[in-house]
Amino acid sequence: MSMRDNGIQLAVIDMAGTTVVDDGLVVGAFEAAADVVGLPSAGPERDHARGYVLDTMGQSKITVFRALFDDEATAQRANAAFEDAYAALIGAGHAEPIPGAAEALSRLRAGGIKVALTTGFSRATQAKLIAALGWHDLVDLVLAPGDGIRGRPCPDLILTALLRTGADSVRSVAVLGDTTSDIESALRAGSAIAAGTLTGAHDERQLVAAGATHIVPSVCDFTDLLLKG
């Protein structure tokens, strides 16, 4: 693999909020899950849970539900309901790419940088999202938590992408996401670039506070950043 001037060989990029428009889908799916497990539809308990979901955007969803609910069975039921609701929204035509995202990913690969798409959703939901977008052949690798790969903010998704694509070093990896969990996982992995994008859940202040090395308006600008290196 040819080394670029900036040494970046692999871009690990989030999906919902980063390359795929979120537009309230995650929160909508959470509301459906909360209904299934009997969380009151209004009041402080529901407000706290909704706030926690927003704060922990980007993390593995089962991990989020385990933090919200005391027992594993309830967490699993909530997670299954969340995944079903999100999949239904995708199936209803709500899967929409961030403008220019597909072209941005293609430009990275044309420029000699491998691309891995990561998520906090399950592998099954990620597969449905990829199918709805028609992105099967767009990237080198898609990864979701599970099978010994912990979700964000752990570094596992990034490090697994490095191993599977054969990148030389964590310093040859650039990461992009829209949440503080994305930034934290990139920093834990030792990535050269831990960039935040402003198209998703968390704002510039939150991303900078989490330690982002770069802030970009969108994935298109991230591609520009890497290719001009």
Side-chain angles (χ1 to χ4, degrees):
M1 187 188 302
S2 62
M3 283 291 286
R4 302 182 49 75
D5 293 342
N6 60 13
I8 299 300
Q9 301 173 350
L10 170 64
V12 180
I13 302 175
D14 173 54
M15 294 191 70
T18 301
T19 50
V20 182
V21 176
D22 176 33
D23 206 20
L25 297 188
V26 169
V27 172
F30 159 73
E31 300 288 3
D35 289 341
V36 165
V37 296
L39 207 61
S41 59
E45 194 178 359
R46 183 74 157 228
D47 292 343
H48 163 75
R50 187 183 301 110
Y52 185 77
V53 167
L54 288 168
D55 289 343
T56 57
M57 281 282 202
Q59 293 188 19
S60 169
K61 292 298 172 279
I62 183 61
T63 304
V64 172
F65 287 120
R66 281 176 179 142
L68 278 175
F69 303 114
D70 291 336
D71 67 294
E72 180 68 12
T74 304
Q76 291 288 352
R77 275 202 307 134
N79 188 62
F82 173 90
E83 300 274 355
D84 287 346
Y86 193 87
L89 289 166
I90 296 168
H94 291 290
E96 186 184 333
I98 296 284
E103 295 82 355
L105 300 177
S106 296
R107 283 200 297 130
L108 284 173
R109 295 181 78 199
I113 296 174
K114 292 195 174 180
V115 177
L117 287 177
T118 60
T119 184
F121 300 138
S122 72
R123 184 183 297 170
T125 298
Q126 183 185 44
K128 288 174 185 169
L129 192 49
I130 293 283
L133 294 163
W135 282 5
H136 287 112
D137 302 317
L138 191 63
V139 299
D140 298 283
L141 185 67
V142 293
L143 282 175
D147 294 337
I149 303 172
R150 295 170 298 176
R152 300 182 288 247
C154 294
D156 301 27
L157 288 164
I158 297 164
L159 297 176
T160 302
L162 180 153
L163 291 169
R164 294 196 185 168
T165 59
D168 289 341
S169 158
V170 292
R171 303 306 296 165
S172 67
V173 178
V175 177
L176 179 70
D178 66 304
T179 70
T180 57
S181 295
D182 289 296
I183 302 302
E184 186 176 343
S185 69
L187 296 175
R188 288 193 194 184
S191 306
I193 291 174
T197 179
L198 301 179
T199 52
H202 293 161
D203 61 23
E204 183 169 5
R205 180 191 58 79
Q206 291 170 296
L207 295 166
V208 169
T213 60
H214 301 73
I215 301 292
V216 293
S218 82
V219 62
C220 304
D221 305 277
F222 178 71
T223 290
D224 293 340
L225 172 73
L226 299 193
L227 293 181
K228 77 180 184 195

